[in-house]
Amino acid sequence: MKRRNLIAGAAAALVFGQLAGCARVDRTETGSITAPDRSAAGQAQPAASPSARALRSAASNRGLYFGAAIQSAALGDSRFRSNVVRDCSIITPEWAMKWDSLAPGRAYNFSEMDQLASFAARNGLAMRGHTLLWHKSLPRWAAAALASSRDWTLIEDHFSKVIGRYGNQVREWDVVNEPIEPEHGGNGLRQNQFYKAFGESYIQRAFETARARAPRARLVINEYGLEYNSSYEGQRRLTLLRLLERLRSRGVPVDTVGLQAHLDLRKGKVYADGIYGLMRDIGNMGLKVAITELDVAEANTGLSIERRDSLVADETRRYLDIVLQFNNVLGVSTWGLNDSHSWLRTQRSAANRGLPYDRDWRAKPMHGAILTAFA
Ligand code: XIL
């Protein structure tokens, strides 16, 4: 398949409106952390859905990991903890490791992230380090300091603190999150606070800074909006590939591409040719792939539950069947594990059913779709 196929379907320019990952919920919308129930912490409880096969073992049979993003507030719920422990071999802090969570004012407070890290350690779970640099999670004080001083030591200091504290547990660092934005013109890179201060070189410097502190971890560039057949997402795929080519030719120590995979039924069906071409070209560069934030936003919550769940499952299966053909995939993480702890509740609708389990921890067809895709 030729590159040009990646932008096939150009006529459908931007008809899909808002893109997954563009609008964010505020950290505070998801509530504050509650103290974990220590009595049960560290022990896997009987699974809520005993018939459900553990996703982690299905993944590991295929040489992959399965993981999920964790809202630290949910750790207070023993049922939540036991399901995570049963299904995941790796977890991603949904917000607790972001710069503005760790240091909303200049002082760092690691307590929320520490709770998550110790939950992971007690249960033998690895962690994804999410995320060192993201335009949406730069605290105000750091944004102001960066704009006025353009001083890389600010970034270096942040990386040192976070990698220094959690580096032993983190297997993959999302070093740079969401650097692509073709609508910002030029080279298609997002004109974020880091770009404004340092130009494109911020990406290279971020990876070099991370590598110096995390010699063995996987270093990831994590991106969204790469799955559908619109000219916009076609441009995003091409821009990402061009960026990766530049980084590779300069010897930048990026070794993994994170595909967020916020699937969205409003955008139609995933675009097999585009995803296939992206995967193939990433693989040809010698890079690994992690599926980092899989979930499915529904188009129509007015249908029957059965119909909705089967549409979500079908889309999941279509996506995973393409990406899992490639042997450079490390694993799959969903962005949450059940519907009551999903960012899609505030992004889209509180009723959205885009994760493997429903609010009562009943495994849904999406769960089966993931198992089948791993088989
Ligand atoms: C989202 C979280 O789910 C929210 O709870 C938080 O308030 C904002 O960020 N892409 C990413 C994630 O890389 O960090 C985002 O997570 C979702 C989109």
Side-chain angles (χ1 to χ4, degrees):
M1 185 165 38
K2 295 274 185 325
R3 278 275 163 72
R4 62 188 151 73
N5 286 358
L6 296 175
I7 50 170
L14 279 176
V15 290
F16 300 112
Q18 272 287 314
L19 289 145
C22 286
R24 315 285 173 195
V25 250
D26 211 278
R27 152 80 183 81
T28 50
E29 284 178 50
T30 18
S32 58
I33 185 164
T34 54
D37 156 15
R38 298 275 170 198
S39 58
Q43 278 153 33
Q45 312 283 296
S49 309
S51 59
R53 265 179 60 214
L55 294 165
R56 67 180 284 173
S57 53
S60 82
N61 288 341
R62 179 85 182 259
L64 302 167
Y65 66 69
F66 181 81
I70 304 298
Q71 299 182 348
S72 26
L75 284 182
D77 172 355
S78 64
R79 207 167 173 205
F80 178 86
R81 291 196 304 272
S82 60
N83 282 293
V84 167
V85 169
R86 183 196 55 198
D87 273 324
C88 301
S89 57
I90 189 165
I91 57 174
T92 307
E94 186 166 331
W95 64 67
M97 201 186 266
K98 288 169 179 167
W99 197 340
D100 60 348
S101 293
L102 294 172
R106 211 167 267 272
Y108 279 70
N109 178 346
F110 292 104
S111 58
E112 183 174 344
M113 185 54 224
D114 282 353
Q115 284 187 39
L116 221 154
S118 77
F119 166 75
R122 284 196 304 273
N123 291 288
L125 311 178
M127 290 202 299
R128 302 197 69 260
H130 181 79
T131 169
L132 291 167
L133 282 191
W134 187 33
H135 63 287
K136 290 274 182 183
S137 63
L138 185 66
R140 255 181 222 172
W141 64 269
L146 207 56
S148 65
S149 71
R150 303 184 174 206
D151 184 355
W152 188 257
T153 56
L154 186 82
I155 309 280
E156 247 176 345
D157 181 58
H158 176 64
F159 281 29
S160 294
K161 285 193 167 81
V162 180
I163 299 176
R165 197 168 183 99
Y166 303 111
N168 289 340
Q169 283 178 265
V170 170
R171 195 193 291 176
E172 297 174 11
W173 288 100
D174 289 339
V175 179
V176 176
N177 197 27
E178 306 183 349
I180 305 294
E181 185 42 272
E183 287 183 343
H184 287 181
N187 52 12
L189 297 187
R190 183 181 296 282
Q191 308 287 297
N192 58 21
Q193 309 90 328
F194 318 112
Y195 191 98
K196 286 185 182 133
F198 308 107
E200 179 173 341
S201 74
Y202 89 87
I203 300 176
Q204 171 160 0
R205 292 174 87 174
F207 278 94
E208 286 167 351
T209 304
R211 179 53 83 219
R213 288 154 185 79
R216 283 175 302 278
R218 296 223 170 262
L219 300 185
V220 184
I221 193 161
N222 195 39
E223 193 51 84
Y224 72 91
L226 303 161
E227 296 81 20
Y228 288 90
N229 186 6
S230 61
S231 72
Y232 177 69
E233 296 209 7
Q235 277 174 24
R236 296 182 63 83
R237 288 187 284 271
L238 276 178
T239 307
L240 175 62
L241 287 170
R242 288 193 182 124
L243 171 64
L244 293 170
E245 275 162 7
R246 290 199 295 283
L247 296 176
R248 294 302 277 170
S249 72
R250 292 180 196 136
V252 176
V254 53
D255 51 61
T256 303
V257 179
L259 303 177
Q260 292 188 6
H262 290 293
L263 306 183
D264 188 341
L265 297 177
R266 296 186 315 181
K267 297 184 189 174
K269 291 180 182 171
V270 289
Y271 179 39
D273 285 359
I275 298 165
Y276 187 92
L278 179 70
M279 290 295 297
R280 181 206 52 208
D281 289 359
I282 291 171
N284 286 343
M285 283 184 240
L287 297 163
K288 304 284 188 195
V289 168
I291 308 305
T292 53
E293 306 186 14
L294 177 65
D295 60 11
V296 185
E298 291 185 77
N300 183 357
T301 51
L303 306 172
S304 70
I305 297 281
E306 292 71 25
R307 180 79 189 123
R308 288 166 57 193
D309 286 354
S310 94
L311 290 170
V312 164
D314 288 350
E315 185 74 340
T316 304
R317 181 74 197 282
R318 268 192 291 274
Y319 183 73
L320 291 179
D321 278 351
I322 304 163
V323 293
L324 295 181
Q325 285 176 47
F326 291 83
N327 61 12
N328 60 335
V329 177
L330 300 170
V332 176
S333 298
T334 46
W335 205 242
L337 198 55
N338 82 333
D339 292 331
S340 47
H341 303 286
S342 167
W343 79 311
L344 292 171
R345 288 174 60 83
T346 44
Q347 280 290 295
R348 292 298 167 82
S349 142
N352 198 87
R353 294 172 65 87
L355 285 171
Y357 295 95
D358 73 6
R359 293 181 199 194
D360 298 315
W361 291 104
R362 283 184 294 254
K364 291 183 295 177
M366 180 181 179
H367 181 280
I370 298 173
L371 283 180
T372 313
F374 283 152

